[in-house]
Amino acid sequence: MSQPTPIVQPLLLQFQQLFFLSKLVGVLPQDLAKFRFKNVLEKSRNGMIYMLAMLMLYIVLYNLLIYSFGEEDRSLKATQSTLTFVIGLFLTYIGLIMMVTDQVTALFNQGRLGDLYERIRVVDERLYREQCLVDNSTIAKRIRIMLLMTFVFEVFILLSTYVKLVDYTQLLSLLWIVSAIPTFINTLDKIWFAVSLYALKERFEAINATLEDLVTEHEKFLTWLNGDDRNNSIEDHAAEESASQPPQYDSNLEYLYKELGGIDVGSLRGSGSKGKNKVAPIAHSMNSFGESIQSPRKLQQSNATPMINMAHESELSNATKVEEKLNNLCQVHDEICEIGKAMNGLWSYPILSLMAYGFLIFTAQLYFLYCATRAQSIPSLFRSAKSPFITVVVLIYTSGKCIYLIYLSWKTSLASKRTGISLHKCGVVADDNLLYEIVNHLSLKLLNHSVDFSACGFFTLDMETLYGVSGGITSYLIILIQFNLAAQQAKDAINSFNSFNDTAGLVGAATEFGNESSSLFDLVTTTMMTPLN
């Protein structure tokens, strides 16, 4: 039995390239065959086993990488301050923790993720019935751009660090490739969230655009009504003027005047006509078809501008008819808000781990750059901080992911709240009491249906949070540099004190040796000068 053809194309149709790549590296455990033929995300036991195997392989390789490049870390505590050692030890595993959080969350949410995109497909069908169209073609282009930027940043950071800062003459140096795996997997996971969030924003904006179109159509309708009234008044005034003017006389049509009206031709000869060959119809005269003869001015005007009925229609002019459409749009808006809340719940822990990772890595990378400029040792996995240019690229890549997700979440929340403003515009432009009551009732519903995105409830993803994080990075960076300066000054003081003690010991030993020599010289002298009995 054949399945019914869907009204709209599913959103997952635009995710094919991203899904195949995510499936290959072990980001998603969903069934590959079901997605290829049906464009749906369904649970898969084989996919879950493959994803767990890839996760264990990444963990083993990452620990092997740390052990292979940990020779510098083992001597770090002895040569540098304890603060630098602790920061390096903790941040060495922060990338691995972030990757494990993404993959474990994807395992637990593999069923809920498919239901989420199915709800989006149902929303698209409801929007289509309300003549509210959403263009999904830009989503595939956006995914390709994100994947391209991810490959460019990952490959550049990996190769530049490997060639410039790693001893690639050794065989174990090939393990440095593993250092790019956590950030690459995390980026693929966040592309899923970013593109899905962008799709929700597009649907909010489509609803707002539909409401704005209703307002625009009603404004055109009112303009057409006012313009039609003015045209009618102008035509009536022109008809009155033409009827009050005396008829013009033409000698060539003298016989026609006699046949039609039987009026005195001599009375028309002195009418003062200034032109010739002009037909002068008689007022209230009828032609052979029983129609009144129009005045020449009105005939000329009607020929210049043909009367075509260009009546504009407006749905807002009928409050009872538009009530159903507004109710449906508000219900779809409520469903999109619920989808946004469900999406936020699916990615809440990965977002929190990403924001923590971005905050710590940004601060640590700048701190280790400062340490490198002071010829101090830094952790092996942060050797990219030895190059300022590579450090800038790493910071752009890390902060770009965090900033883009915060900005997109903020814009989606604003788009959901703008629907109430667009709805009130419909009530204002219609100026109808019944429509006012409908708009006020629906506005109360929209007020309770706004959506905000957060990281497990700790903070909201908006521009205020971005400002606060920027200030926190600056503050902690200054504190770390001050602690480093204090530790270096204390170490220099200890070294100076130890060197002073060594010098003092040498001087004391030399003085004692001189005293012993003078005592021996005095003893010998006294013995030699003593007379023998």
Side-chain angles (χ1 to χ4, degrees):
M1 187 175 180
S2 61
Q3 296 181 353
T5 304
I7 301 177
V8 295
Q9 292 183 349
L11 179 64
L12 288 175
L13 188 63
Q14 313 296 331
F15 284 75
Q16 292 187 359
Q17 297 176 352
L18 181 60
F19 178 80
F20 293 147
L21 183 59
S22 302
K23 186 69 177 179
L24 178 63
V25 300
V27 176
L28 293 179
Q30 279 78 8
D31 190 89
L32 179 61
K34 295 292 182 63
F35 183 84
R36 180 184 298 176
F37 297 107
K38 297 182 180 180
N39 292 315
V40 294
L41 295 178
E42 294 186 1
K43 294 182 179 180
S44 174
R45 180 177 298 179
N46 295 331
M48 183 175 61
I49 294 174
Y50 176 78
M51 185 174 179
L52 288 174
M54 295 298 293
L55 178 60
M56 297 302 297
L57 178 63
Y58 293 152
I59 293 175
V60 172
L61 291 177
Y62 197 82
N63 284 277
L64 184 61
L65 169 69
I66 294 174
Y67 179 79
S68 301
F69 288 88
E71 184 177 355
E72 298 179 6
D73 298 338
R74 286 186 285 270
S75 61
L76 182 63
K77 185 176 181 180
T79 58
Q80 298 299 325
S81 64
T82 306
L83 178 64
T84 304
F85 174 76
V86 172
I87 292 175
L89 181 63
F90 176 73
L91 294 182
T92 298
Y93 286 94
I94 188 65
L96 185 63
I97 294 173
M98 178 183 63
M99 183 191 69
V100 172
T101 302
D102 295 337
Q103 293 185 296
V104 172
T105 305
L107 283 173
F108 281 103
N109 297 329
Q110 56 176 323
R112 298 170 59 189
L113 187 62
D115 297 336
L116 183 72
Y117 288 103
E118 178 63 22
R119 293 172 65 181
I120 294 178
R121 187 190 64 81
V122 174
V123 165
D124 290 344
E125 291 182 354
R126 296 178 63 181
L127 289 175
Y128 180 79
R129 293 190 186 98
E130 299 299 330
Q131 299 178 356
C132 183
L133 303 180
V134 180
D135 186 14
N136 291 329
S137 61
T138 58
I139 293 180
K141 185 185 300 183
R142 185 175 292 267
I143 290 175
R144 287 192 292 267
I145 293 175
M146 289 183 180
L147 290 177
L148 179 61
M149 293 180 64
T150 301
F151 278 108
V152 169
F153 276 103
E154 290 287 353
V155 171
F156 176 80
I157 294 173
L158 179 64
L159 293 181
S160 59
T161 307
Y162 181 77
V163 172
K164 188 174 182 180
L165 303 174
V166 178
D167 186 9
Y168 49 86
T169 59
Q170 300 179 1
L171 183 61
L172 291 178
S173 63
L174 295 176
L175 288 174
W176 186 256
I177 300 175
V178 182
S179 63
I181 291 178
T183 54
F184 180 70
I185 291 180
N186 175 262
T187 304
L188 290 182
D189 181 75
K190 296 310 173 290
I191 289 177
W192 278 91
F193 176 73
V195 176
S196 303
L197 191 61
Y198 177 79
L200 294 187
K201 185 177 75 71
E202 288 290 307
R203 278 140 186 82
F204 281 128
E205 292 179 350
I207 294 176
N208 298 338
T210 302
L211 295 176
E212 294 289 345
D213 290 341
L214 291 176
V215 174
T216 304
E217 289 178 0
H218 193 73
E219 289 178 347
K220 291 181 179 179
F221 176 72
L222 295 179
T223 304
W224 176 79
L225 287 180
N226 296 330
D228 187 64
D229 294 339
R230 287 195 298 268
N231 291 334
N232 291 335
S233 61
I234 292 174
E235 291 177 359
D236 294 339
H237 181 68
E240 292 177 359
E241 288 183 352
S242 62
S244 61
Q245 290 180 357
Q248 303 294 327
Y249 171 74
D250 189 357
S251 59
N252 296 325
L253 300 177
E254 183 177 351
Y255 69 95
L256 185 60
Y257 297 149
K258 292 180 180 180
E259 293 292 335
L260 290 176
I263 60 176
D264 187 9
V265 180
S267 62
L268 295 175
R269 293 179 179 177
S271 59
S273 61
K274 297 180 181 180
K276 296 182 179 181
N277 297 330
K278 293 183 179 180
V279 179
I282 301 172
H284 307 294
S285 61
M286 307 293 292
N287 59 11
S288 58
F289 296 99
E291 299 175 352
S292 61
I293 298 177
Q294 300 290 334
S295 62
R297 182 175 181 179
K298 193 165 186 178
L299 284 173
Q300 185 179 1
Q301 182 181 1
S302 62
N303 292 331
T305 57
M307 298 299 295
I308 301 176
N309 188 10
M310 298 293 292
H312 294 272
E313 296 182 358
S314 174
E315 297 183 46
L316 295 179
S317 58
N318 190 349
T320 306
K321 181 179 178 181
V322 79
E323 180 180 4
E324 182 180 359
K325 183 171 186 176
L326 294 180
N327 280 324
N328 293 335
L329 290 178
C330 290
Q331 290 175 4
V332 174
H333 182 277
D334 182 26
E335 179 64 19
I336 298 175
C337 291
E338 294 299 325
I339 293 174
K341 294 177 183 178
M343 185 183 299
N344 189 21
L346 293 179
W347 273 282
S348 57
Y349 290 103
I351 290 176
L352 180 62
S353 64
L354 173 64
M355 296 303 165
Y357 173 83
F359 177 81
L360 295 175
I361 291 298
F362 201 97
T363 307
Q365 193 77 15
L366 291 177
Y367 172 69
F368 290 139
L369 177 63
Y370 167 78
C371 295
T373 56
R374 296 293 179 178
Q376 300 176 11
S377 300
I378 59 177
S380 58
L381 293 184
F382 289 90
R383 62 183 61 194
S384 60
K386 296 179 180 179
S387 173
F389 181 71
I390 301 178
T391 300
V392 172
V393 176
V394 171
L395 295 181
I396 292 176
Y397 179 51
T398 304
S399 61
K401 293 188 292 185
C402 300
I403 293 175
Y404 181 70
L405 291 182
I406 291 176
Y407 175 78
L408 197 58
S409 302
W410 175 63
K411 294 295 290 185
T412 305
S413 180
L414 289 182
S416 67
K417 296 174 182 178
R418 184 174 175 78
T419 307
I421 300 175
S422 301
L423 185 62
H424 272 281
K425 287 183 179 180
C426 295
V428 171
V429 74
D431 197 14
D432 183 81
N433 292 331
L434 180 58
L435 191 59
Y436 269 128
E437 294 178 0
I438 297 172
V439 168
N440 291 331
H441 175 68
L442 296 177
S443 297
L444 293 177
K445 292 183 178 181
L446 293 177
L447 185 63
N448 297 322
H449 294 162
S450 61
V451 57
D452 292 315
F453 299 91
S454 64
C456 294
F458 286 98
F459 51 86
T460 305
L461 300 180
D462 54 12
M463 304 310 288
E464 294 181 0
T465 301
L466 183 61
Y467 176 77
V469 170
S470 303
I473 290 174
T474 305
S475 301
Y476 281 103
L477 182 62
I478 294 174
I479 292 172
L480 289 175
I481 293 175
Q482 289 177 345
F483 273 110
N484 183 272
L485 288 174
Q488 294 300 322
Q489 290 175 359
K491 185 174 292 187
D492 293 341
I494 292 174
N495 293 333
S496 300
F497 182 75
N498 291 333
S499 62
F500 176 77
N501 287 338
D502 294 340
T503 304
L506 293 175
V507 172
T511 303
E512 184 178 359
F513 178 76
N515 293 333
E516 292 178 355
S517 299
S518 65
S519 299
L520 181 61
F521 177 77
D522 293 340
L523 178 62
V524 171
T525 305
T526 304
T527 304
M528 293 178 65
M529 295 180 65
T530 301
L532 296 175
N533 294 326

